[in-house]
Amino acid sequence: MSRVIHFEIHASKPEVLIAFYSSLFNWKFQQWGAVEYWQIETGPPDEPGINGGLVLRRGASPLDAQGVNAYICTVEVDALDEYVLKAQSLGGTVALPKTPIPGVGWLAYVIDTDGNTLGLMQPDSSAK
């Protein structure tokens, strides 16, 4: 069985998205190599989860249906409403309002400042 081991966020203006995700999740970004690529540390290595990268977007914006298109990564949060509000205060928008996933938790999708969709999930087995 194959598992996701890495993710990438595509950015038209990397410095803007680095500020967005650093402020939203406290993720750490470090320039990698001589290309426009940043490694993303999402948490300590002894906790579940994966790290990723941020890369300069190639092609047009995903909103134009010409740029890189990908599937949604979802980040576990402890207070969904607070993270949705924080994402909005940082310039993001809501794509899918808070919705229950019965027996699992609460899910919302936000769009970052560069048009990428991000899932936010608050675990809650009583969600209906």
Side-chain angles (χ1 to χ4, degrees):
M1 184 180 308
S2 299
R3 298 192 68 193
V4 176
I5 60 166
H6 185 78
F7 67 88
E8 285 186 337
I9 300 169
H10 294 256
S12 300
K13 297 178 182 173
E15 64 282 355
V16 174
L17 282 188
I18 288 170
F20 180 87
Y21 286 98
S22 294
S23 296
L24 186 60
F25 298 125
N26 277 338
W27 288 353
K28 294 177 178 44
F29 290 77
Q30 181 174 331
Q31 176 77 39
W32 182 79
V35 296
E36 292 181 292
Y37 194 92
W38 293 260
Q39 294 177 316
I40 305 171
E41 181 184 325
T42 64
D46 60 339
E47 290 183 6
I50 61 173
N51 293 321
L54 186 134
V55 62
L56 184 65
R57 185 180 306 283
R58 306 284 189 237
S61 161
L63 301 176
D64 298 330
Q66 299 291 319
V68 174
N69 193 5
Y71 57 89
I72 297 170
C73 292
T74 300
V75 176
E76 183 178 310
V77 297
D78 56 2
L80 181 63
D81 296 330
E82 291 176 24
Y83 276 89
V84 170
L85 288 173
K86 188 172 183 180
Q88 290 177 297
S89 76
L90 294 167
T93 59
V94 175
L96 174 70
K98 180 178 177 179
T99 188
I101 307 299
V104 176
W106 299 94
L107 175 70
Y109 288 166
V110 296
I111 300 173
D112 70 21
T113 56
D114 205 12
N116 301 300
T117 304
L118 165 71
L120 300 171
M121 169 68 75
Q122 177 182 332
D124 181 357
S125 60
S126 67
K128 294 181 184 181

